[in-house]
Amino acid sequence: MKKRLMAAFFVRRKSRNKYRHFLSCKVLSGLTQLEKAGQIMIALIQRVKHAQVVVDGETVGKIDKGILALVGVQKEDHDKSAKRLAERVASYRIFPDAEDKMNLSLKDIQGQILLVPQFTLAADTKKGNRPSFASAAPPQHGEQLFNHFCTCIQGIIGEYGGEVQTGIFGADMKVSLLNDGPVTFWLET
């Protein structure tokens, strides 16, 4: 640890490069930014009264009370990431109980879920005026993991009578919804 601390101090003093200093400090905390980057599968979930996805004028997915989940896949994501995110989404308590407190999950209410692939969630927006999609998964890998995520969700909420609808990966989709609350959360694995 002492060597790492000294190395971080040396890099900070010798170089004015903020990235190097940032990276060195992250090594001290035990997790480098490089280790963390791209290993987080993302879902932006919204509690909805109803939602639908239309592709080429045709409704391809439609739900009533439940969750609309926009799902982003990054390069380093894997099947385990997809499964963990599916468990979190299905179990996240965002629905009101009898006392109007958010204590019920999608499984508890036997609700519906509309899953929409959205690669723009993986964008890096920290610099400049244009997003970078360098951390987004390539289309083939993204589609495979999105499909695996859908299968995992179906396995979890299907046991309880919940219904899964999806958008179409890579399609130009028109998404409409009535957000209930509004209640919106950013979930990561």
Side-chain angles (χ1 to χ4, degrees):
M1 181 66 178
K2 188 174 182 180
K3 285 183 181 181
R4 282 187 176 179
L5 181 61
M6 300 235 343
F9 180 75
F10 180 73
V11 170
R12 182 175 180 213
R13 294 215 24 151
K14 184 166 181 156
S15 172
R16 293 190 183 265
N17 185 329
K18 291 180 183 176
Y19 178 74
R20 281 189 184 173
H21 175 247
F22 175 73
L23 185 58
S24 297
C25 290
K26 287 296 185 182
V27 168
L28 292 176
S29 70
L31 178 67
T32 67
Q33 186 68 14
L34 295 176
E35 289 173 334
K36 186 177 176 186
Q39 296 179 4
I40 301 173
M41 196 163 172
I42 304 162
L44 180 73
I45 63 171
Q46 300 176 53
R47 186 176 76 189
V48 297
K49 293 282 189 185
H50 59 81
Q52 72 175 11
V53 177
V54 175
V55 175
D56 295 329
E58 180 183 337
T59 300
V60 296
K62 184 175 181 179
I63 63 167
D64 291 319
K65 182 180 179 181
I67 292 176
L68 168 65
L70 305 175
V71 181
V73 182
Q74 298 189 64
K75 283 181 185 176
E76 301 299 322
D77 288 334
H78 42 75
D79 288 351
K80 188 176 177 181
S81 302
K83 183 178 180 188
R84 174 66 183 128
L85 187 61
E87 291 165 352
R88 290 199 70 207
V89 169
S91 301
Y92 214 69
R93 297 182 301 170
I94 65 172
F95 295 95
D97 62 12
E99 297 174 9
D100 207 30
K101 294 186 180 183
M102 286 194 286
N103 279 329
L104 302 176
S105 70
L106 189 65
K107 295 187 302 187
D108 296 329
I109 67 160
Q110 298 178 350
Q112 301 173 320
I113 189 165
L114 177 56
L115 304 172
V116 178
Q118 186 171 351
F119 86 99
T120 60
L121 289 178
D124 181 357
T125 59
K126 293 177 185 157
K127 294 182 181 178
N129 295 323
R130 183 178 178 159
S132 167
F133 298 105
S135 64
Q140 185 177 9
H141 179 64
E143 183 173 14
Q144 181 266 325
L145 279 180
F146 176 74
N147 290 338
H148 183 66
F149 176 79
C150 295
T151 301
C152 291
I153 285 275
Q154 181 64 55
I156 295 167
I157 71 166
E159 295 176 15
Y160 304 96
E163 182 183 348
V164 177
Q165 296 283 314
T166 67
I168 299 175
F169 192 93
D172 180 22
M173 296 176 279
K174 308 301 180 216
V175 181
S176 61
L177 67 134
L178 179 59
N179 198 325
D180 182 16
V183 174
T184 304
F185 295 98
W186 178 277
L187 298 182
E188 301 172 342
T189 54

